[in-house]
Amino acid sequence: MILYAIKDVKAGFQTPQEFVNDEVAIRAFKIATSDPRTMLGQVPADFELWKIGEFDLQTGELKTDLQFLCNVGGSNV
C-alpha cells in the first residue's frame, strides 16, 4: 500500500491516505483542490501533495520515502 499525505503549508501534514500509484493520488488531489466547497478548493495554493512511503501488509514494515509530488501553483499539477 502506497501512502500519500496532503501538506497544508501553514499547518503541516494531514492524515495519510492510500492510493494505488502516484497518478491516482495526483488525480484525487486535483479534484479536491478544484472543489470550491472545500478549504482545499478555496485556498489551493496552501496545499501540496506528498508521497510519504509504503506499508507492507504482510510484514507490517513501513518504508518511509518522503517525496514532493505536486502543488496547484505549478509543480506537476
Side-chain angles (χ1 to χ4, degrees), residues 14 31 56 64-65 68:
Q14 298 180 1
I31 292 168
D56 186 316
T64 58
D65 183 21
F68 171 80

Side-chain angles (χ1 to χ4, degrees), residues 19-71:
F19 291 98
V20 297
N21 58 42
D22 293 355
E23 291 81 14
V24 174
I26 290 169
R27 179 178 61 197
F29 180 72
K30 285 181 179 181
I31 292 168
T33 56
S34 67
D35 184 348
R37 297 171 296 171
T38 67
M39 185 173 15
L40 287 155
Q42 291 174 9
V43 285
D46 284 355
F47 299 95
E48 301 171 340
L49 180 63
W50 289 75
K51 181 183 215 175
I52 58 173
E54 295 186 36
F55 180 69
D56 186 316
L57 293 171
Q58 297 296 322
T59 66
E61 183 179 10
L62 176 62
K63 296 179 184 176
T64 58
D65 183 21
L66 192 61
Q67 295 178 37
F68 171 80
L69 290 182
C70 63
N71 62 23

